[in-house]
Amino acid sequence: MKQTAVACSNIAFIKFFGKKDEMLRIPMNSSISMNLKNATSTTTVEFSEEVHTDSINMTDREKERIVTHLDRIRKIAKISLKAKVVTENNFPKGSGIASSASGFAALTVAATKALDLNLSEKELGMLSRVASGSACRSIPTGFVKWEKGTKNDDSYAFSLYPPSYWNLKDAVVIVDRNQKPISTSKAHGLSCTSPFLSKRFEGMDEKIKECEGALAKKDFERLGELIESEALNMHAVMMTAHPSIFYFRPGSISVMETVWKLRKEGIQAYFTLDAGPTVHVIYEGKEEDRILPVLKKLESAKEIIVSEVGEGAKIISDHLF
Amino acid sequence: MKQTAVACSNIAFIKFFGKKDEMLRIPMNSSISMNLKNATSTTTVEFSEEVHTDSINMTDREKERIVTHLDRIRKIAKISLKAKVVTENNFPKGSGIASSASGFAALTVAATKALDLNLSEKELGMLSRVASGSACRSIPTGFVKWEKGTKNDDSYAFSLYPPSYWNLKDAVVIVDRNQKPISTSKAHGLSCTSPFLSKRFEGMDEKIKECEGALAKKDFERLGELIESEALNMHAVMMTAHPSIFYFRPGSISVMETVWKLRKEGIQAYFTLDAGPTVHVIYEGKEEDRILPVLKKLESAKEIIVSEVGEGAKIISDHLF
């Protein structure tokens, strides 16, 4: 009744942004991401009769989301046992790395295994998705596509390529550790007030195709251009919402300008940003020595977490309690 | 045959962005601006048989635009005299204040007067417009609307209110003195590659109506919200063009964040940006003491030029040569 799982967070090349079904987290568009090997959540879940009441370092909202998710899993297993959950991230809070993706992927894998539910990767993904959309992309290995689908059982994630397929790296440049002013969920909701959201959706199928094509050909320039224009597209939608959701901080711009400068010098680096000020700089591993020292010199870079492509969520034997 | 004119630059609340007719500079949408009393061009024009060949402090492109405009005026006057032109701006280059607006307005007024052409304000505006779109808004006084029209003789500017109508101010916060990477004209052209441009145009008539309404009621909060969301809308279009046109610099964001912070403290200030990194902070004169000292303290503010609402272009008696 006690299991521990580890799951990577992921960074989306094509973003999950906007929901067709709020409750089931069916997205408006398919998305593509890579898992981040060096940004993981480890979660131990134990089911028993014992009641646990401590919630350390957790907001009410976080606690509620976890409890709701455990209830989903209890329902599948047809049990009503209490659960003890301990989870640890190997990356700091407020880093702009999606801890809800890695966290809910690890929780789903650990909790279902603890209850001896034998779920397939597809089922684990769909279950994670309902807790936190992008968590479904942290279940399969390497480069992952989340097929948007239309309902619960056809909106799921699968691996396009394993980590060994392409040595891409993500230098996560943290420029601001403060809690971001508007949560990702709230940004999703407000985005419908932007005059540009519908136009964004119109272009998404084409973008997904192009991204798959660039991955298939290992065409980094094409992939990079796509990643960057996709991030700017999402931020353009957010900043034209009412009220405006504006995540760029001065430091974000410094990093973005540095990436553009690197490219002018012939060094292939591209950036993406999720709903926050952190800039993810994506490059091929072989270019690291020409890129990382430049980023490290930036005054605005409070911390840099470098990650290769990571594996899917899995059970491990070392428990956290 | 020698006349001198002075004209203010202007800052647009609703922007001129995108042309229906490239040559005649017929805009895709109407625009509304206020003249900037403290940002003027003074231009002396003398027509004679004498040939002048010096072009001091002028790029080839600038010279060509001036020569082309003088040819237009010669054609109207049916003369082929040579012209000597000296022009001075009372604001620095690269400040993010549109010198082409004030410069071409002053040139048009001086040159046509020097040739004894008796043009109406409407005709002077239309003539200036062909040289530089937003120059037409620098001909009439105070708060000005440029009615988009559909052809040369119905796309013109007129005064909505004189400067005395409302004591609004513009603190032009210069954060970067370098030549901007992409000219305004080029940005206009590239904007059609943004997926959002058509959506932008769809909303413009409504925005113009709202802006006129806010001006009529002197509703500063409504006007400010509109000004700010309009600027973000234009920049969202530019940043999603291919290639991306990204004008925000780290210092721009600092100023924008300061404006948002002021509003959280109940101080009504709003920003707008033209196609460049300079941030124009718009406020009511009575709030100046609560706003200007805060802006002056910003490390990113290289210089601040404060301006009240200015008058229209006019002939003066002091010549520059």
Side-chain angles (χ1 to χ4, degrees), chain B residues 64-119:
Chain B
E64 189 199 318
R65 284 178 77 181
I66 291 169
V67 167
T68 305
H69 195 52
L70 289 169
D71 282 344
R72 276 183 206 113
I73 294 167
R74 286 187 184 100
K75 207 173 157 188
I76 297 170
K78 300 187 178 88
I79 58 116
S80 59
L81 292 169
K82 306 298 175 200
K84 179 177 179 181
V85 176
V86 174
T87 192
E88 272 180 15
N89 300 330
N90 75 342
F91 52 93
K93 259 204 171 185
S95 60
I97 295 174
S99 58
S100 65
S102 49
F104 279 107
L107 177 66
T108 304
V109 170
T112 55
K113 186 74 177 177
L115 294 172
D116 273 331
L117 293 168
N118 242 320
L119 302 188

Side-chain angles (χ1 to χ4, degrees), chain A residues 107-235:
Chain A
L107 177 67
T108 304
V109 170
T112 54
K113 185 75 176 174
L115 293 173
D116 272 330
L117 293 169
N118 242 321
L119 301 188
S120 66
E121 183 181 277
K122 184 177 165 178
E123 290 168 321
L124 287 167
M126 293 191 297
L127 190 52
S128 305
R129 188 204 72 223
V130 184
S132 170
S134 56
C136 74
R137 293 190 313 242
S138 284
I139 298 286
T141 190
F143 299 90
V144 174
K145 181 180 181 186
W146 173 9
E147 186 66 51
K148 62 181 172 186
T150 55
K151 53 189 189 298
N152 187 51
D153 63 358
D154 65 359
S155 180
Y156 69 100
F158 56 95
S159 178
L160 292 169
Y161 304 100
S164 60
Y165 174 72
W166 197 358
N167 182 23
L168 294 192
K169 289 202 164 186
D170 178 4
V172 186
V173 186
I174 301 161
V175 299
D176 178 6
R177 293 197 174 290
N178 295 313
Q179 184 77 22
K180 55 191 189 182
I182 295 174
S183 73
T184 304
S185 280
K186 209 172 163 192
H188 272 259
L190 278 172
S191 66
C192 63
T193 62
S194 164
F196 299 151
L197 186 65
S198 60
K199 272 287 167 192
R200 170 174 164 78
F201 290 141
E202 277 178 31
M204 292 312 288
D205 285 350
E206 185 59 30
K207 248 191 219 177
I208 285 285
K209 241 188 257 173
E210 275 181 44
C211 187
E212 289 182 286
L215 279 168
K217 287 180 191 156
K218 293 188 189 170
D219 182 342
F220 187 62
E221 193 174 333
R222 195 173 160 207
L223 181 68
E225 294 285 352
L226 199 62
I227 287 174
E228 207 169 284
S229 90
E230 159 64 356
L232 291 174
N233 180 299
M234 183 177 76
H235 280 264

Side-chain angles (χ1 to χ4, degrees), chain B residues 285-298:
Chain B
K286 63 185 179 192
E287 292 280 31
E288 183 148 282
D289 293 346
R290 301 171 75 192
I291 293 169
L292 208 49
V294 179
L295 296 176
K296 279 183 176 162
K297 258 186 236 156
L298 284 175

